[in-house]
Amino acid sequence: MPIKIPNDLPAKEILQKEHVFTMDENMAFHQDIRPLKIAIMNLMPKKIETETQLMRMLSNSPLQVEITLIHPKTHVSKNTSASHLNTFYVNFDDIKNKKYDGLIITGAPVELLEFEKVEYWEELCGVMEWSKTNVTTTLHLCWGAQAGMYYHYGVKKQLLPKKLFGIYEHISRNKFVRLLRGFDDSFYVPHSRYTTTSIKDVESIPQLDILVVSEKAGLCMCASHDRRQIFMTGHLEYDRDTLKNEYFRDVEKGIDIDIPENYFPENDVTKKPRFQWKSHAYLLYANWLNYYVYQATPFDLSVIDDKFSPDQKGMIKND
């Protein structure tokens, strides 16, 4: 089934050129099916780029997915037009009385700030609290993962000596977890961040399972036992050229930044970057939609609460 997106969203034209089956609102109206309702709290500066990346991932499924884009009303975007935000985004007040099958909270370029110093922190806390009773499962990405671990479990982030920037090999600590079903013994994940989360700190939280780690990048993925809160510090959704564009952007700004590790062939920035994570990216989002959204969510969203039903808990026990 296709991904349902607003008629004039820029991502639609990009995805159609890639032969991704998209469905606009007019076509979806004639289908007698309940799509999975996924909300995306997009905190990234280049919102159109992030929208496209995530919708590309969510489209690789036989399930019909309907997207709602959320932007914090307490933040004025410098990189996305007000027209785009007003046309395609809602704020938390618009949806706080609704329920969703899934929620994605993206990263944000604010990781050097203390969480409480982020201008929209209070609003984001409201979203994360709301997700406990109004969303079946939430996927937190990069800074969004650090924010989620801090809000839900008090896990603090730590400053790195220098930016972790590149493509790193990872392994699963649980080869049978459904989120990682079909993954190879080792796989690659892009990272781009100045802070990290200690594996030992997460291990001290009895409600969390560590799922993916890297010798160089450290903690990559962990989740609550019931999988309603999933945290990923990397960026599997990134395109081939995302790190390249970020590197050249920082160079032009005069920022002292290393070449992304394990990315350009022979570390030659004139060569086409290796795309080593694409298949696992699609697989992760397909697994999330299938096992933790579709198979766990009730048909009637109004019955979502802060606890799974006995049948749903049984599914998670078999993870």
Side-chain angles (χ1 to χ4, degrees):
M1 295 298 291
I3 183 169
K4 178 188 172 186
I5 57 180
N7 296 344
D8 300 320
L9 191 71
K12 180 181 178 183
E13 182 179 355
I14 298 171
L15 296 176
Q16 286 179 333
K17 288 180 180 178
E18 298 175 7
H19 303 291
V20 173
F21 185 13
T22 63
M23 172 182 287
D24 62 28
E25 294 162 319
N26 297 329
M27 185 184 299
F29 180 76
H30 297 287
Q31 286 207 336
D32 186 17
I33 189 173
R34 184 178 91 68
L36 295 176
K37 295 183 180 296
I38 306 295
I40 300 175
M41 184 74 169
N42 190 356
L43 305 174
M44 293 291 277
K46 294 186 176 180
K47 300 199 182 301
I48 294 176
E49 179 180 287
T50 302
E51 294 159 15
T52 305
Q53 291 172 348
L54 290 174
M55 290 181 189
R56 183 183 291 118
M57 295 295 103
L58 295 171
S59 69
N60 190 40
S61 166
L63 305 167
Q64 186 184 130
V65 178
E66 179 179 325
I67 301 296
T68 298
L69 296 169
I70 311 170
H71 179 262
K73 68 176 182 179
T74 47
H75 174 68
V76 177
S77 177
K78 299 177 181 178
N79 298 279
T80 305
S81 70
S83 174
H84 183 83
L85 294 175
N86 292 335
T87 301
F88 300 112
Y89 279 75
V90 298
N91 60 52
F92 179 49
D93 285 342
D94 298 317
I95 57 96
K96 64 184 180 181
N97 294 320
K98 297 182 180 180
K99 294 180 183 284
Y100 287 83
D101 300 295
L103 168 67
I104 297 174
I105 299 176
T106 74
V110 294
E111 59 180 314
L112 295 179
L113 295 174
E114 295 297 325
F115 291 116
E116 290 84 0
K117 298 295 184 181
V118 175
E119 61 180 336
Y120 48 80
W121 177 247
E122 185 175 342
E123 185 175 359
L124 180 59
C125 288
V127 172
M128 292 189 288
E129 184 64 27
W130 164 85
S131 73
K132 294 179 181 180
T133 53
N134 289 267
V135 178
T136 301
T137 180
T138 301
L139 179 60
H140 308 70
L141 306 178
C142 198
W143 179 83
Q146 294 179 334
M149 285 185 278
Y150 178 69
Y151 177 77
H152 291 292
Y153 302 102
V155 180
K156 297 181 179 180
K157 57 186 170 74
Q158 301 172 3
L159 184 65
L160 290 167
K162 65 176 183 179
K163 186 175 185 178
L164 182 73
F165 191 40
I167 313 300
Y168 302 97
E169 186 175 16
H170 292 67
I171 60 170
S172 168
R173 278 201 176 180
N174 184 342
K175 297 183 183 298
F176 300 103
V177 64
R178 295 184 180 191
L179 188 63
L180 305 176
R181 183 164 290 180
F183 273 52
D184 294 325
D185 289 341
S186 66
F187 48 92
Y188 294 90
V189 179
H191 287 264
S192 176
R193 50 189 168 87
Y194 289 94
T195 56
T196 190
T197 302
S198 166
I199 291 177
K200 288 185 178 180
D201 285 350
V202 176
E203 287 176 333
S204 70
I205 307 298
Q207 301 97 320
L208 290 175
D209 298 321
I210 294 179
L211 305 181
V212 176
V213 296
S214 166
E215 182 177 349
K216 184 66 182 288
L219 176 74
C220 178
M221 196 180 304
C222 65
S224 59
H225 294 330
D226 60 11
R227 306 300 186 249
R228 295 195 72 173
Q229 306 292 338
I230 300 172
F231 310 96
M232 181 169 66
T233 65
H235 283 286
L236 272 174
E237 79 281 359
Y238 270 6
D239 297 328
R240 179 196 300 272
D241 291 336
T242 305
L243 292 184
K244 182 185 78 171
N245 295 337
E246 183 176 335
Y247 171 72
F248 285 119
R249 178 203 67 196
D250 287 351
V251 168
E252 289 177 3
K253 290 181 177 180
I255 297 174
D256 183 17
I257 186 171
D258 293 338
I259 295 173
E261 296 185 76
N262 309 314
Y263 183 57
F264 291 107
E266 292 81 48
N267 278 340
D268 185 343
V269 298
T270 67
K271 292 185 177 181
K272 187 176 183 179
R274 301 185 184 97
F275 205 168
Q276 305 177 77
W277 61 94
K278 184 177 182 180
S279 61
H280 288 92
Y282 279 114
L283 188 54
L284 178 85
Y285 281 86
N287 285 347
W288 179 66
L289 281 175
N290 181 30
Y291 296 117
Y292 300 142
V293 182
Y294 174 69
Q295 292 192 25
T297 197
F299 184 82
D300 180 1
L301 280 174
S302 66
V303 304
I304 291 179
D305 59 19
D306 61 346
K307 296 180 180 179
F308 277 126
S309 69
D311 288 342
Q312 290 168 320
K313 287 181 179 178
M315 284 177 49
I316 299 301
K317 286 180 181 178
N318 295 328
D319 193 17

